[in-house]
Amino acid sequence: MRGKLRKKKLKGGKLSLYIDYYPPVWNPHNKRFTRREFLNLYVHANPVTPLEVKENKLYSEIAEKIYIKRMKALMLEENGLFNKDSLDADFFLYAKSFIREKQRENVDTTHYETAVKYLHKWMGDHCKFRHIDEIFLQKFKQFLLNTHSLKSKHTKLSQNTAASYYDKFTIIVKEAYLDRFLPEDYTIRVKRIGNIDTHRQILDDAELKLLIQNPVDDDTVFRSSIFALLTGFRFSAIKILKWSDLHYSTPLDSWYAYIVDPKPGRSFKHYISKQAYTILGEKPEGDGLVFPDLNYSRTRTKLQDWFSSVGLKDKAKFHNWRHKYATDLIEKGEDIYVVSKMLNHKHVKTTQIYAQVPDVTRAKAANKAIYDHLN
């Protein structure tokens, strides 16, 4: 590995100082190899005044120190040794870069961003990589389990929500380890926050009929909701769905969508019914979002108004359309493995939460437990 401190002539009579690497080196922030690292340090090509001479000397010395530091880091890396200087890097800056990279991949980063906000709440504005170890992770877990929601000082963060944010935080930590900002992956020795089973407010057929017969006064919210009911798509997937993502298979006589599902962040080929495609309306000229005006905040408010108008306030969640889609497929006898693939779940275990025996079946079973001699 070789590197040389060089100068690039700029307009205006100044020179930009940079390090020229050969062969190229890996930049963990930009996720690519690079030959040049510009230091944002500038010297005068022809210093005239004593001040310009001093500036040249100062900036040249700073550039020299950075150069030596970079060469040391590369030498340690080539010999499989950890560079302790990386521990002084800012974790928040790294997390910001990580989130931007995910956004470029069209991944929904809402939970990543919120996890970092809670870390800010706990740590303040300063968090270096040297702060992060097993004890740090344990303490952050306890903070999440005992803190209040960022939205309300009166609402404690639920355990499942805390688990979700902690998991997103550990993903960033793991990536930082792979980028050699940490000497080891501390997350493997710290247990994640466990999820607890919660009662899911799933719509029954009578409630669904009531909602459809009394539609919300917002066409976008209504159609996106029914589309979610008919496809099982999450809100984040519907929000990014483009007309060019929809395709028709002639041999199968079926429509399907091919997208990168934002939550798991992987490609997803999902077959949808003709009824689901019809609810989208007429395709406009050119390409674009299927629901260009879809907004989460407005959708949430409209859902609350809609569900409340028919006495179903407690079930006013967009995700309930997905729950209804999954439970209906299972109740109609569809194989749970197939349902798992339809929902783009990585593990069938995740799908099993929808495989609970419905109330109507349990009620029928209870009425069979009759003993004639007791009458």
Side-chain angles (χ1 to χ4, degrees):
M1 173 59 63
R2 291 183 294 172
K4 188 174 181 63
L5 193 60
R6 299 187 185 278
K7 301 173 183 178
K8 180 181 179 180
K9 191 172 183 179
L10 304 174
K11 293 180 180 179
K14 283 194 173 184
L15 304 172
S16 176
L17 301 177
Y18 70 96
I19 300 175
D20 185 15
Y21 297 102
Y22 184 81
V25 297
W26 178 253
N27 186 316
H29 291 293
N30 298 330
K31 303 294 182 183
R32 61 183 176 84
F33 285 94
T34 182
R35 274 286 310 272
R36 297 172 180 82
E37 179 188 359
F38 287 90
L39 306 179
N40 293 321
L41 295 171
Y42 309 94
V43 296
H44 300 276
N46 299 294
V48 177
T49 67
L51 179 60
E52 290 179 346
V53 173
K54 287 183 179 180
E55 285 181 347
N56 277 15
K57 182 179 179 182
L58 175 62
Y59 294 144
S60 296
E61 288 179 356
I62 294 174
E64 192 68 34
K65 288 180 180 179
I66 295 174
Y67 168 75
I68 293 172
K69 189 176 181 179
R70 296 291 191 270
M71 292 303 104
K72 173 189 171 184
L74 291 171
M75 187 176 295
L76 288 171
E77 184 176 330
E78 284 187 353
N79 290 278
L81 301 174
F82 180 71
N83 178 23
K84 292 183 179 180
D85 290 340
S86 62
L87 292 174
D88 289 322
D90 190 317
F91 179 81
F92 286 128
L93 287 178
Y94 179 86
K96 187 176 182 180
S97 174
F98 173 91
I99 290 170
R100 283 179 176 171
E101 181 65 26
K102 288 291 182 183
Q103 290 170 341
R104 282 193 285 269
E105 297 170 0
N106 290 321
V107 174
D108 183 5
T109 60
T110 303
H111 281 198
Y112 286 109
E113 294 172 74
T114 307
V116 173
K117 287 179 182 178
Y118 277 103
L119 186 64
H120 264 293
K121 182 180 177 181
W122 182 50
M123 286 291 292
D125 295 332
H126 304 288
C127 182
K128 303 290 187 181
F129 280 102
R130 66 172 60 257
H131 294 142
I132 300 175
D133 56 18
E134 291 174 61
I135 296 175
F136 181 93
L137 265 60
Q138 290 283 10
K139 289 184 175 179
F140 186 48
K141 274 175 55 178
Q142 292 305 312
F143 170 77
L144 289 173
L145 288 169
N146 292 283
T147 192
H148 288 83
S149 168
L150 294 174
K151 297 178 181 178
S152 172
K153 295 180 180 179
H154 306 291
T155 305
K156 186 178 178 182
L157 206 61
S158 72
Q159 182 165 323
N160 287 353
T161 303
S164 177
Y165 294 151
Y166 180 76
D167 287 347
K168 291 296 185 287
F169 166 72
T170 57
I171 290 173
I172 301 176
V173 172
K174 285 177 180 290
E175 190 71 14
Y177 162 70
L178 294 174
D179 285 337
R180 302 185 69 81
F181 283 95
L182 290 169
E184 59 179 297
D185 181 7
Y186 299 108
T187 65
I188 61 176
R189 293 207 296 269
V190 180
K191 290 184 179 180
R192 65 180 296 275
I193 298 174
N195 291 88
I196 57 176
D197 291 333
T198 57
H199 176 65
R200 294 178 178 269
Q201 296 281 357
I202 298 175
L203 293 166
D204 61 34
D205 290 339
E207 292 169 336
L208 177 60
K209 183 178 180 180
L210 193 60
L211 285 165
I212 293 175
Q213 290 177 341
N214 298 274
V216 65
D217 62 346
D218 187 306
D219 183 62
T220 298
V221 173
F222 180 77
R223 289 190 302 110
S224 62
S225 294
I226 301 304
F227 185 72
L229 171 70
L230 297 172
T231 63
F233 272 166
R234 299 179 181 88
F235 180 87
S236 57
I238 293 177
K239 184 175 174 57
I240 67 165
L241 183 67
K242 293 183 177 181
W243 286 102
S244 58
D245 296 328
L246 298 168
H247 310 274
Y248 181 73
S249 170
T250 302
L252 298 176
D253 187 27
S254 179
W255 287 94
Y256 66 91
Y258 190 80
I259 63 170
V260 175
D261 197 352
K263 187 172 182 180
R266 57 176 177 267
S267 298
F268 182 37
K269 185 179 183 179
H270 184 48
Y271 285 92
I272 64 176
S273 67
K274 293 178 181 178
Q275 186 182 31
Y277 183 81
T278 302
I279 202 71
L280 299 178
E282 188 176 346
K283 182 181 181 299
E285 291 291 332
D287 191 22
L289 294 173
V290 175
F291 296 100
D293 300 323
L294 194 60
N295 175 276
Y296 181 75
S297 179
R298 189 183 83 242
T299 300
R300 182 176 57 185
T301 300
K302 287 293 183 179
L303 280 179
Q304 289 172 347
D305 293 342
W306 184 13
F307 280 60
S308 296
S309 70
V310 293
L312 298 172
K313 182 180 179 180
D314 292 340
K315 297 186 178 183
K317 293 181 180 178
F318 196 90
H319 211 64
N320 265 338
W321 303 123
R322 180 174 169 85
H323 293 332
K324 181 62 175 169
Y325 171 83
T327 53
D328 276 2
L329 286 178
I330 292 172
E331 287 177 19
K332 290 174 182 176
E334 191 57 70
D335 185 270
I336 194 170
Y337 179 77
V338 175
V339 178
S340 179
K341 293 302 179 183
M342 298 290 279
L343 295 172
N344 200 20
H345 285 161
K346 189 174 183 179
H347 303 290
V348 174
K349 184 178 179 181
T350 308
T351 318
Q352 288 174 341
I353 62 174
Y354 301 109
Q356 300 172 2
V357 179
D359 289 346
V360 64
T361 304
R362 286 188 287 181
K364 289 179 180 179
N367 288 324
K368 292 178 182 178
I370 299 297
Y371 295 90
D372 293 337
H373 65 275
L374 292 176
N375 294 329

